[in-house]
Amino acid sequence: MGTTATFLYDGDCGLCERATRWLLERTGSTVRAQAWQGVDLHAYGLTPEQLEAAAVLVEEDGTRRVGHEAFGHALLRAPSRDDRLLGRLVLEQPSAWVASLVYAWVARNRHRLSGSACSLPARG
């Protein structure tokens, strides 16, 4: 792919920062990342609440991929065949439902995870 998608993540969360760096190491110039706090969300048709809940990959055509699908579709753009395979595993059944559950759990609990330095308040 010769074009670049935009990966929007929570720049106030250390865990999100580390996961995004890991993703960018694999995808190279095919994906650019921006902390959503520094982006005109209206231009993307997104709200802060949506991005507090999950990362979003915005494709060139405006298609938005959310949560585990954002990671999976970003990995499909990677130069490495192994990383593209990992993207397919994240997106295709039967492993996609596991990826979805794991992503949702991590997103809800990222403020509790060791070393995450997340500014989100602990949810009761």
Side-chain angles (χ1 to χ4, degrees):
M1 293 190 152
T3 56
T4 303
T6 302
F7 187 81
L8 301 172
Y9 68 97
D10 185 351
D12 288 337
C13 174
L15 180 64
C16 301
E17 289 271 352
R18 286 192 303 278
T20 299
R21 276 195 305 272
W22 178 89
L23 183 68
L24 292 176
E25 288 172 2
R26 277 140 191 84
T27 59
S29 63
T30 64
V31 174
R32 68 184 176 126
Q34 292 184 279
W36 69 260
Q37 291 87 347
V39 171
D40 176 10
L41 296 181
H42 182 71
Y44 289 106
L46 296 166
T47 66
E49 293 78 20
Q50 289 171 302
L51 285 152
E52 286 173 0
V56 175
L57 180 73
V58 182
E59 306 270 2
E60 297 81 359
D61 66 0
T63 301
R64 293 178 291 207
R65 314 288 185 175
V66 179
H68 79 284
E69 291 182 354
F71 275 91
H73 281 278
L75 286 168
L76 291 180
R77 298 167 159 274
S80 162
R81 193 178 104 206
D82 291 343
D83 291 326
R84 290 191 308 272
L85 175 60
L86 179 58
R88 283 194 297 277
L89 286 172
V90 167
L91 295 170
E92 294 179 8
Q93 296 300 339
S95 55
W97 72 269
V98 174
S100 174
L101 292 173
V102 169
Y103 184 92
W105 184 88
V106 169
R108 278 191 317 272
N109 294 286
R110 66 186 189 258
H111 62 280
R112 295 181 188 164
L113 298 175
S114 175
S116 70
C118 190
S119 68
L120 290 176
R123 296 179 191 155

